[in-house]
Each structure stands twice: as C-alpha cells, then as structure tokens.
C-alpha cells in the first residue's frame, strides 16, 4: 500500500486563521472552537505571516506572565513557518517535524494555503517509519561528524 501524503492525511480541509492584531486570548478561543492545536496568522486576503500553537500560548504568553488580552498574535507567533506541498509524504513531514522540534506544518500549493498537517494526523505506522529515518539520519550525522 502506498504511503499517504500530508494532504490525504489532514482531518480538516479548511484553514483556521486570524489576523495578526488579534489577541492571544482570541487565538486560544479560535483553536478551542475549531478543536485544533494551531491557528495560522494571516494578513487578508491570503498572506501567511506565521503560525500560533497551543505550545506558543503556553511558553510565550502564560509562562512569561503576559496578558492574553493585550498580547497580539503577531507578538507571539512563529513567523514565516516552514511549509510543505500537499504531495509531501507523511513520513517525510514527520521527520522534518522531529528534526526541527515542531508539531504543525502548513500545506501550501503555489500561493494557496490548503490546511495544516499536525503530527496527530500521522498514523502510528508512519510515525514509526519517520522515527526510524530520523534515527538513521542522526547516526549518519554522528559518523560524518
């Protein structure tokens, strides 16, 4: 059976987004209503500025004692996130996320944003394949110094 692509794997085929001037609390509410762990920060009509995740809200807002009503999405987002095309294999996307230390990847085709692939969208089989690939990459890097 052929491995799935990230676009085939995403559960939500619509984009959850908000404006850069929205508050951190607004971002948390949008994520809660959409039952997702990230929101894209976009300048209308369709310019991707960054991504804001649950982890960002925890580490960049709550842990720092910032006021979520006065802190804007632009202030705490990850700017210019790494994006992948929809035909990216799930295992390749998971390797990228493991190596870079993040859990969400916007999917982009040309200038169109198609959604966000989350590590939760990967099947255990594909996560296992990605872990094996990541371990292999680490061993090669160790050997090469």
């Amino acid at each position: 059976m052929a491995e799935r692509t990230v676009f085939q794997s995403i559960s939500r085929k619509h984009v959850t987004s908000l404006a850069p001037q929205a508050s951190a609390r607004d971002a948390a509410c949008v994520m809660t209503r959409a039952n997702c762990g990230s929101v894209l920060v976009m300048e209308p009509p369709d310019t991707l500025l960054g991504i804001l995740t649950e982890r960002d809200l925890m580490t960049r807002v709550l842990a720092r004692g910032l006021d979520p009503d006065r802190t804007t999405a632009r202030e705490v987002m990850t700017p210019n996130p790494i994006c992948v095309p929809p035909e990216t294999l799930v295992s390749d996307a998971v390797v990228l996320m493991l190596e870079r230390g993040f859990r969400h990847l916007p999917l982009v085709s040309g200038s169109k944003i198609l959604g966000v692939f989350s590590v939760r969208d990967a099947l255990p089989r594909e996560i296992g394949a990605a872990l094996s690939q990541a371990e292999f990459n680490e061993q090669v890097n160790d050997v090469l110094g």
Side-chain angles (χ1 to χ4, degrees):
M1 179 164 69
E3 184 178 345
R4 297 175 307 142
T5 66
V6 289
F7 186 72
Q8 291 169 326
S9 302
I10 60 174
S11 54
R12 190 180 323 314
K13 299 275 200 260
H14 66 274
V15 176
T16 304
S17 66
L18 51 70
Q21 64 273 18
S23 72
R25 183 178 309 280
D26 292 337
C29 290
V30 166
M31 285 186 256
T32 299
R33 279 193 301 275
N35 192 31
C36 64
S38 68
V39 61
L40 298 179
V41 181
M42 298 182 65
E43 197 85 72
D46 59 359
T47 302
L48 177 63
L49 300 177
I51 187 168
L52 187 57
T53 68
E54 296 165 320
R55 186 190 300 176
D56 294 332
L57 292 174
M58 181 180 62
T59 60
R60 297 177 183 173
V61 179
L62 294 175
R64 292 182 182 168
L66 300 179
D67 181 347
D69 291 313
R70 293 178 184 241
T71 303
T72 66
R74 184 187 298 272
E75 293 174 280
V76 291
M77 71 182 185
T78 299
N80 306 309
I82 293 173
C83 300
V84 296
E87 62 273 8
T88 302
L89 296 178
V90 168
S91 61
D92 292 337
V94 173
V95 166
L96 177 63
M97 291 189 286
L98 287 169
E99 291 177 345
R100 296 299 190 97
F102 49 78
R103 301 176 188 167
H104 300 89
L105 276 172
L107 306 182
V108 178
S109 180
S111 62
K112 183 167 175 52
I113 298 166
L114 303 174
V116 176
F117 176 78
S118 166
V119 73
R120 292 180 197 152
D121 294 320
L123 290 174
R125 164 179 66 89
E126 291 158 323
I127 290 173
L131 283 170
S132 296
Q133 182 65 45
E135 289 169 2
F136 173 77
N137 292 351
E138 191 173 305
Q139 290 171 357
V140 168
N141 287 336
D142 287 346
V143 168
L144 297 176

